[in-house]
Amino acid sequence: MMISVLALALMQQPCPLTIGVGNDGVIFFDRFHGWYKTGPKMLQSVLHAGCYNDNDPHPITSVKLAVAAKAPKERVELVNSILRQEGWTPDKIVNESWKRYPRKPQ
């Protein structure tokens, strides 16, 4: 019984993704153990691919979208469009204000 519980826990590894849209419209994300600038195509690729652990893919389990106060609305809408294309509806996304831009949101 304990082995089954452990196996189930290992199968459902968390794979969160934080996305940021800066004041200048630059898109960031927190993949590969860091906070990086990215483009729309790479963001879409990461959302589609999920997390990898020794060639063992896991889908993204949660998305947080942090938007800086002066972020261009077009860039925010572009990110939201990409999220929708990958199946992330607004009710599944945590939205927050990115108060400490350009430092990674907490």
Side-chain angles (χ1 to χ4, degrees):
M1 177 70 170
M2 185 65 158
I3 292 173
S4 298
V5 171
L6 182 59
L8 184 61
L10 289 174
M11 286 175 34
Q12 298 176 350
Q13 295 177 358
C15 179
L17 178 65
T18 300
I19 303 166
V21 181
N23 287 330
D24 50 3
V26 175
I27 302 169
F28 294 82
F29 67 176
D30 68 343
R31 304 303 321 146
F32 316 117
H33 307 290
W35 185 242
Y36 301 102
K37 292 180 181 181
T38 190
K41 287 184 179 185
M42 178 59 83
L43 177 60
Q44 188 170 18
S45 176
V46 166
L47 283 164
H48 186 74
C51 297
Y52 282 86
N53 183 7
D54 297 331
N55 294 327
D56 183 22
H58 298 282
I60 301 292
T61 55
S62 65
V63 171
K64 178 169 48 171
L65 177 58
V67 179
K70 297 179 182 177
K73 293 186 187 318
E74 307 83 43
R75 293 299 275 187
V76 176
E77 181 50 40
L78 174 62
V79 170
N80 281 318
S81 173
I82 293 168
L83 287 166
R84 280 191 303 274
Q85 288 174 9
E86 292 300 322
W88 288 93
T89 57
D91 60 311
K92 295 179 184 177
I93 301 166
V94 175
N95 289 287
E96 67 178 39
S97 176
W98 189 1
K99 297 175 184 167
R100 300 175 65 191
Y101 175 77
R103 295 191 339 184
K104 180 180 177 182
Q106 299 300 349

